Amino acid sequence: MERVLGIGGYFLRAADPTALSAWYRDCLGLDADENGLWRQDAGPTVFATFEPGTDYFGSRTQRTMLNFRVRDLDAMLAQLRAGGADVAEETQDMACVGRFGWVTDPEGNRIELWQPV
């Protein structure tokens, strides 16, 4: 059986694609080239499904949520707050998994930030 090798891309609709790309670059440090190619650090990726009524993604109209691995969750959240980003006040600790925090991008997409154990 053939299998997928990993996530090859994540695509977002945006009212202003240039501005949204700049936000991901300037606020999260996502250094994609002119074709959108981003060489990420090796590490785990979680694939999980959720019930349709979940509030975990923020808005009920948001059908997917992007999760980025980070080295230092507290530092990333502080950096985002200092830049004026819409950062959730709460964080979550999961034993043997890591710590989580959330930010909403300028287009209203809730993003999860994960500091693995």
Side-chain angles (χ1 to χ4, degrees), residues 21-79:
S21 292
W23 184 87
Y24 278 84
R25 181 192 65 236
D26 298 343
C27 292
L28 296 178
L30 200 154
D31 293 320
D33 69 13
E34 66 278 356
N35 297 310
L37 183 62
W38 169 50
R39 302 241 181 240
Q40 62 181 319
D41 292 347
T45 299
V46 175
F47 178 84
T49 57
F50 289 77
E51 295 293 327
T54 186
D55 291 327
Y56 196 68
F57 298 175
S59 167
R60 293 258 174 124
T61 61
Q62 184 172 329
R63 301 204 28 96
T64 65
M65 184 169 60
L66 185 56
N67 170 300
F68 287 116
R69 282 178 273 115
V70 298
R71 183 184 57 78
D72 183 331
L73 180 64
D74 292 327
M76 177 60 84
L77 295 175
Q79 174 182 298

Side-chain angles (χ1 to χ4, degrees), residues 69-98:
R69 282 178 273 115
V70 298
R71 183 184 57 78
D72 183 331
L73 180 64
D74 292 327
M76 177 60 84
L77 295 175
Q79 174 182 298
L80 288 164
R81 284 187 182 104
D86 180 8
V87 178
E89 288 299 320
E90 76 276 1
T91 59
Q92 181 182 16
D93 294 299
M94 288 183 69
C96 302
V97 176

